[in-house]
Amino acid sequence: MPPRSPEPAALRAAAENAGARAYVEAARLIAGGSHARTWLLRIANPAREVVLREFPPGDPAGTNEARVLTILDGLGGLAPRLIANAADENGSWVVITRLPGQADIRPADPHRFATELGTTLARLHRTPLPALSGLDSLHDRWGGSRRRPSGPAAGLVLEAWDQILTTRRVLTHYDFQSGNVLWEGDTLSGVVDWEGAVLGPPGYDIGWARFDLFLLYGEQLADVFLNAYNTIADIPLEDPGLWDLWTIARSHVGVEDWVPNYHDLGRPDLTATELRRRHTWWTNRTLAKRR
């Protein structure tokens, strides 16, 4: 997206929510993200910080995020709360509370990093389903469609499609990976970018997070994540190889598009060529273990 100033109506809404005398004294563009422009807004009188996310015309993500965050209602502190939102022919925006912490995909202790990711996802997946009425089904989205898989793993995924369809449903973030979580020191403090949240099988999030960890740090950290998840999950993940295959088949087309997200967060070594090389290796590795 080309640079521009924050939406004036969103700035007014952020200030009005803070108090009658409040005003936005600064707005800083936050790096990361492929389709939303995200601002950190500093409000004065009283002092506080909130986040503004802006989406282009035709993108339903802003409306979806507002609906999802209303349903989640903060998720025990792991998700932001909705402050204000709007949508028109020029696009959409949401103003949300700022969670503590910062994004960080270069941890000093990668083992703890992967462990925290696994235990946090298990906590999300334990959210009681009655609290999630109103969320869409994963299989109503393109990412959960049987038309999405492609590449060498697609055939095996489609052969197991009935298993995917009949697996129990949980709160599914839809893009749970290292770039969408925040950290205070070495403790995971929150999860962001909830516009895609749906009800889906646990393996959808797990496979996505494992692949992201493999791209960043290798197979061992992907396994550390899974072990941490299974340790506290209500039900340990069955057949993790299937969910790895589904992730591979969903990302076969377009893995190179992830380059800007990784670069913005400090991993310039993950070029398009390198992401494709690692994707091919993970594909071959997973297929070999499956057959």
Side-chain angles (χ1 to χ4, degrees):
M1 293 181 184
R4 64 174 178 81
S5 301
E7 170 58 46
L11 299 182
R12 290 194 297 271
E16 289 170 1
N17 177 262
R21 300 175 60 194
Y23 61 94
V24 176
E25 64 177 3
R28 176 171 62 85
L29 195 61
I30 301 174
S34 58
H35 67 296
R37 181 186 289 104
T38 302
W39 302 86
L40 178 63
L41 306 182
R42 189 169 70 239
I43 297 174
N45 201 28
R48 66 178 58 179
E49 292 181 330
V50 299
V51 172
L52 165 63
R53 302 189 73 214
E54 298 177 313
F55 302 87
D59 188 338
T63 300
N64 287 343
E65 181 156 27
R67 178 172 57 87
V68 168
L69 292 182
T70 299
I71 293 170
L72 296 183
D73 193 28
L75 204 59
L78 283 175
R81 292 181 182 274
L82 179 69
I83 294 173
N85 70 287
D88 58 27
E89 66 278 4
N90 297 314
S92 61
W93 53 263
V94 295
V95 176
I96 57 179
T97 57
R98 184 192 179 186
L99 296 177
Q102 304 289 335
D104 182 8
I105 65 172
R106 299 182 299 167
D109 185 348
H111 188 283
R112 181 178 174 88
F113 180 85
T115 300
E116 284 278 303
L117 283 169
T119 56
T120 298
L121 184 59
R123 289 171 58 194
L124 297 182
H125 285 178
R126 291 162 61 178
T127 304
L129 290 182
L132 302 174
S133 60
L135 288 186
D136 297 336
S137 167
L138 169 67
H139 298 294
D140 292 333
R141 300 280 181 85
W142 172 242
S145 166
R146 66 175 295 138
R147 295 174 295 147
R148 173 73 180 270
S150 62
L156 290 175
V157 171
L158 294 178
E159 287 177 9
W161 198 251
D162 285 345
Q163 180 180 342
I164 291 172
L165 288 178
T166 57
T167 298
R168 69 189 182 94
R169 297 298 185 256
V170 297
L171 169 62
T172 300
H173 181 274
Y174 199 77
D175 191 18
F176 188 85
Q177 41 89 5
S178 57
N180 281 338
V181 297
L182 303 176
W183 302 86
E184 285 191 300
D186 56 5
T187 299
L188 198 157
S189 56
V191 183
V192 296
D193 289 7
W194 283 95
E195 67 266 16
V198 290
L199 296 178
Y204 188 95
D205 279 343
I206 294 171
W208 204 246
R210 275 174 52 79
F211 181 49
D212 173 65
L213 282 168
F214 165 74
L215 292 176
L216 288 168
Y217 293 107
E219 185 176 11
Q220 181 181 0
L221 267 292
D223 290 341
V224 168
F225 163 86
L226 180 59
N227 290 336
Y229 177 93
N230 284 337
T231 296
I232 72 164
D234 287 341
I235 301 175
L237 182 71
E238 296 183 0
D239 198 2
L242 170 61
W243 308 103
D244 286 342
L245 286 172
W246 194 18
T247 298
I248 289 166
R250 295 198 315 271
S251 58
H252 177 73
V253 175
V255 70
E256 293 88 352
D257 296 340
W258 302 356
V259 166
N261 295 344
Y262 287 129
H263 283 199
D264 283 349
L265 293 173
R267 286 296 303 268
D269 57 305
L270 293 178
T271 62
T273 300
E274 182 61 18
L275 287 177
R276 177 54 63 185
R277 186 190 70 80
R278 297 187 188 196
H279 189 284
T280 300
W281 191 96
W282 190 241
T283 299
N284 293 337
R285 170 71 166 165
T286 308
L287 287 172
K289 290 193 293 184
R290 190 74 177 174
R291 288 169 176 159

